[in-house]
Amino acid sequence: MASSSVVAPPPSSSFISNKKDASLSAFSSPVPFSIPKCKKQALRRIVSVMAPQQAERRPATTGSVKTAMTMTEKILAKASEKPHLGPGENVWVNVDTLMTHDVCGPGSIAIFKKEFGYYLLVWNREKIVSIPDHYIFTSDERANHNVDILRDFCMEQNIKYFYDIKDLSNFKANPDYKGVCHIALAQEGHCRPGEVLLGTDSHTCTAGAFGQFATGIGITDAGFVLGAGKLLLKIIGEISVSGATYKSMEFVGSTVESLSMEERMTLCNMVIEAGGKNGVVPADSTTYKYLENKTSVPYEPVYSDSQARFLSEYRFDISKLEPLVAKPHSPDKRALARECKDVKIDRLYVGSCTGGKTEDFMAAAKIFLASGKKVKVPTFLVPATQKTCKTVWMDVYSLPVPGSGGKTCSQIFEEAGCDTPASPSCGACLGGPKDTYARMNEPKVCVSTINRNFPGRMGHKEGQIYLASRYTAAASALMGYVTDPREFLH
């Protein structure tokens, strides 16, 4: 079956240290979604650098099939109750989980009520997850009204999974608040192998790290899913000049297997920046370990058949990669960090779904600890979530950093002169109202661990955003210019 290409590690999180023998490969399969009609195209296979896969691909768990299928095809075949799917087919897919937040939720709700009736109940109150996380810690009345609409609807419909934000003052969050939707979905057990997860946010593809089909949809589609629990998708099989546009990207190989769930989520999160519709990582022991005690819902993982057809295959030798940054104003404007020493920065931001997890703050703390220096620019830290037990927010204040003599991340950040870590939020990543914590209200130069650097992304439309890994970001904060972190990682 035709499928699309996979990208190299994304510019904003491309540095993996001390893995000289590691390798990463990515395969892509046709991605379902109703875009322009496909044309026939000869199958081709492209191979570049990587060691052969160590383990044999596991067989399907969806029963016998006459034609081999990729993981994405299998998930959608199962969700549409069909034995087989191929490029160009339109299918009604049963949705396992629909996520919406405070930015797109009100519009989705309005369409649902308009098309299905003001008093109709949603298709399944236990399969809808509502997470206010974007425009929350603000006094802006319109932003607060969005959360009010979500709250009223969830109360009216008795939505089981509504993670409310109640105390908006002083950037403090109530214990029930979960934080950034993409990370909260995983931590709360809503990401499961073999399922279909749709969300009103382009970075919903993050959940593909769990071996499920996950993609972003618009408010019109979301309004329909709220009422019907289904969505019409099209399996796409045509490659385009835009890399992985409308394709599925499957990541396999020894490096992928060595990644933590958080690192896999970062990898899949960036698929949308390559134009992909979804990205998937096969479920394995790392996946199952992460899901322990997070969900009681039975799930059935699927895997691509060994003979499944892919449009293209890319292989990467991780030992040859160097720390990269993405220059303004696009994630694909890559440059070596060591070649950007002339870029003086005004601020540093560590946060969002690609840089706000526990290991991100641990990495930054290690850089600060190794240098013994203070940061030279204002440095803002925003955890992704504050879930009890393994909360990112609480980890920052409680977990000791290895080799620090018992110091926590927060203690090291304080000694380095960083700003006090704020409550979890997507706010500054998207820009948000002017009183959003860490928002760029002036045309400054920022090194950031977020996933997009388009004009106005973090606030001011003339701001310059350099996307970087957590290591590069921390090193840059210490030096005051874009810095290769390897000089601190001996």
Side-chain angles (χ1 to χ4, degrees), residues 194-464:
E195 293 192 352
V196 174
L197 184 152
L198 304 179
T200 58
D201 189 293
S202 59
H203 289 107
T204 302
C205 54
T206 303
F210 290 83
Q212 67 180 151
F213 178 85
T215 194
I217 58 175
I219 62 174
T220 302
D221 285 343
F224 183 82
V225 175
L226 281 171
K230 300 175 181 287
L231 192 62
L232 183 65
L233 301 179
K234 184 175 184 178
I235 304 292
I236 300 297
E238 178 187 12
I239 191 65
S240 77
V241 296
S242 300
T245 300
Y246 307 127
K247 303 300 182 292
S248 173
M249 299 159 67
E250 182 175 332
F251 299 95
V252 299
S254 58
T255 290
V256 176
E257 293 168 3
S258 72
L259 297 178
S260 67
M261 283 310 304
E262 288 78 7
E263 289 170 329
R264 297 178 188 188
M265 289 165 68
T266 296
L267 185 62
C268 289
N269 176 280
M270 295 301 293
V271 162
I272 192 66
E273 311 310 336
K277 183 54 65 177
N278 77 300
V280 288
V281 173
D284 58 13
S285 59
T286 300
T287 316
Y288 308 141
K289 180 68 176 178
Y290 184 93
L291 289 173
E292 286 180 3
N293 303 317
K294 284 186 171 64
T295 179
S296 59
V297 178
Y299 54 82
E300 183 180 11
V302 298
Y303 306 93
S304 294
D305 294 317
S306 60
Q307 299 303 313
R309 294 176 293 173
F310 295 95
L311 182 64
S312 56
E313 176 180 324
Y314 290 86
R315 300 186 177 193
F316 303 93
D317 184 347
I318 293 300
S319 67
K320 296 180 180 179
L321 293 181
E322 293 190 69
L324 300 171
V325 295
K327 301 165 66 175
H329 292 286
S330 177
D332 65 357
K333 293 185 66 175
R334 296 180 296 171
L336 291 173
R338 60 181 170 82
E339 296 178 348
C340 296
K341 288 190 174 182
D342 60 330
V343 179
K344 304 299 181 183
I345 65 175
D346 301 308
R347 61 193 345 246
L348 188 283
Y349 182 86
V350 177
S352 184
C353 45
T354 50
K357 300 177 284 296
T358 296
E359 58 192 18
D360 299 315
F361 292 102
M362 281 287 185
K366 289 177 182 178
I367 294 285
F368 293 150
L369 185 67
S371 72
K373 300 178 180 179
K374 288 186 175 293
V375 296
K376 293 185 177 180
V377 297
T379 299
F380 303 97
L381 309 161
V382 182
T385 62
Q386 59 172 34
K387 179 174 167 34
T388 57
C389 199
K390 290 187 80 173
T391 72
V392 178
W393 195 60
M394 293 305 296
D395 284 351
V396 171
Y397 287 92
S398 61
L399 289 183
V401 175
S404 68
K407 293 181 180 179
T408 64
C409 286
S410 63
Q411 290 174 314
I412 294 173
F413 293 152
E414 182 179 0
E415 291 175 0
C418 302
D419 206 61
T420 302
S423 292
S425 168
C426 292
C429 174
L430 190 58
K434 288 187 176 182
D435 62 347
T436 299
Y437 177 80
R439 184 186 191 273
M440 281 204 295
N441 292 321
E442 298 176 354
K444 294 183 178 295
V445 178
C446 179
V447 169
S448 178
T449 62
I450 66 174
N451 42 34
R452 286 181 180 157
N453 58 349
F454 307 141
R457 178 66 183 183
M458 291 190 71
H460 201 285
K461 65 180 181 180
E462 295 178 9
Q464 305 286 306

Side-chain angles (χ1 to χ4, degrees), residues 5 8 11-12 16 42 49 64 66 69 95 104 109 115 123 156 187 246 275 301 345 381 454 462 469:
S5 66
S12 64
I16 301 178
V49 239
S64 61
K66 295 181 179 180
M69 291 190 288
V95 178
C104 298
I109 292 167
E115 302 299 332
W123 107 94
E156 164 194 314
Q187 290 188 338
Y246 307 127
I345 65 175
L381 309 161
F454 307 141
E462 295 178 9
S469 72

